[in-house]
Amino acid sequence: MARYTGPVCKLCRREGCKLFLKGDRCLSRACPQERRPTPPGQHGSGRKKATAYSLQLREKQKAKRAYGLLEKQFRMYYDKAEKMRGVTGENMLILIERRLDNVVYRMCIGASRAQSRQLVNHGHITVNGQTVNIPSYLVKEGDVIAVKDTKKDKPFFVELKGAKIANLPKWLSFDTETLSGKVESLPTREDIDLTIAEHMIVELYSK
């Protein structure tokens, strides 16, 4: 499957905010967004007048890049959200938040969404006792997400056992001793901590 393989720190600089694409590095002084908070490229520091379209585009790009999605995938979630009851922008973000790779990241099993996606792809994660290797799998309320029993003795997961988890979303629970968690409820817009103006994305796609 196609995926972005370039330098991810440039993506944060381009969007002008931290997208937390490299785990703990994003919280340290080594983060390029801290040292060079200007867009990448020769003319990155130049002042440009933002148009309505450019603002909408930047919000879409920010959301896509934060969740590690391609344009076709992202548009699919918008089309699905548009057919649902409620606010289209909020429905879209909630659908993306329910992706299995994002849930693994939110449970702090993976340090970043990219790493969490790799854990899912390689068959390290189970849902309700069954191995699921599809990162886009949408979790449901009551689903039990866990590290596969045969993988728990790997050094990566041994290091995770007993660790303290900070900022675990209220709609999820996770036990670092058993390396298993549960989707206590479906997320709401208030549970999504990304600063995204989703109404601008809706305006962009509805033109």
Side-chain angles (χ1 to χ4, degrees):
M1 184 185 74
R3 62 190 178 93
Y4 177 78
T5 57
V8 295
C9 290
K10 281 189 176 182
L11 302 183
C12 295
R13 290 178 58 205
R14 181 63 187 89
E15 303 309 329
C17 64
K18 291 187 178 184
L19 303 178
F20 299 98
L21 303 176
K22 295 201 76 172
D24 293 338
R25 180 183 172 87
C26 298
L27 304 175
S28 69
R29 289 189 174 184
C31 177
Q33 177 63 22
E34 293 282 352
R35 295 185 286 111
R36 299 181 63 189
T38 56
Q42 181 180 358
H43 306 290
S45 58
R47 298 181 65 182
K48 295 181 180 179
K49 184 177 180 181
T51 63
Y53 173 78
S54 68
L55 293 174
Q56 294 167 355
L57 179 63
R58 292 271 60 84
E59 288 301 316
K60 186 205 40 149
Q61 294 295 84
K62 185 196 303 182
K64 273 176 50 183
R65 290 167 171 174
Y67 285 104
L69 301 178
L70 298 177
E71 177 62 31
K72 185 176 180 180
Q73 294 173 303
F74 194 79
R75 183 59 189 254
M76 179 194 69
Y77 287 113
Y78 169 79
D79 291 339
K80 189 172 182 178
E82 195 176 27
K83 299 175 183 177
M84 297 169 60
R85 290 184 178 180
V87 182
T88 300
E90 293 184 5
N91 288 338
M92 178 183 64
L93 291 182
I94 290 172
L95 282 173
I96 299 173
E97 191 74 9
R98 288 172 54 196
R99 285 173 56 99
L100 181 58
D101 56 356
N102 180 73
V103 172
V104 171
Y105 167 69
R106 292 294 191 186
M107 288 180 171
C108 296
I109 300 175
S112 65
R113 288 185 176 87
Q115 187 181 63
S116 300
R117 185 174 300 113
Q118 188 176 43
L119 292 175
V120 175
N121 273 327
H122 290 183
H124 295 295
I125 305 299
T126 64
V127 178
N128 299 326
Q130 300 295 319
T131 302
V132 177
N133 59 3
I134 303 173
S136 60
Y137 176 88
L138 292 182
V139 301
K140 301 180 291 295
E141 183 176 354
D143 280 352
V144 176
I145 316 298
V147 175
K148 196 172 183 180
D149 288 339
T150 57
K151 308 290 185 179
K152 290 181 179 180
D153 58 345
K154 290 186 174 292
F156 179 85
F157 297 115
V158 171
E159 187 176 343
L160 181 62
K161 284 188 176 181
K164 292 184 179 180
I165 296 179
N167 302 320
L168 184 69
K170 64 181 181 181
W171 59 284
L172 297 173
S173 63
F174 186 72
D175 185 354
T176 55
E177 293 295 337
T178 61
L179 297 181
S180 65
K182 185 178 180 181
V183 181
E184 301 293 346
S185 62
L186 293 182
T188 62
R189 180 61 183 92
E190 290 71 27
D191 296 322
I192 303 173
D193 55 3
L194 294 172
T195 54
I196 297 173
E198 62 272 13
H199 67 279
M200 288 190 177
I201 303 175
V202 175
E203 291 171 4
L204 178 67
Y205 276 142
S206 60
K207 287 183 178 179

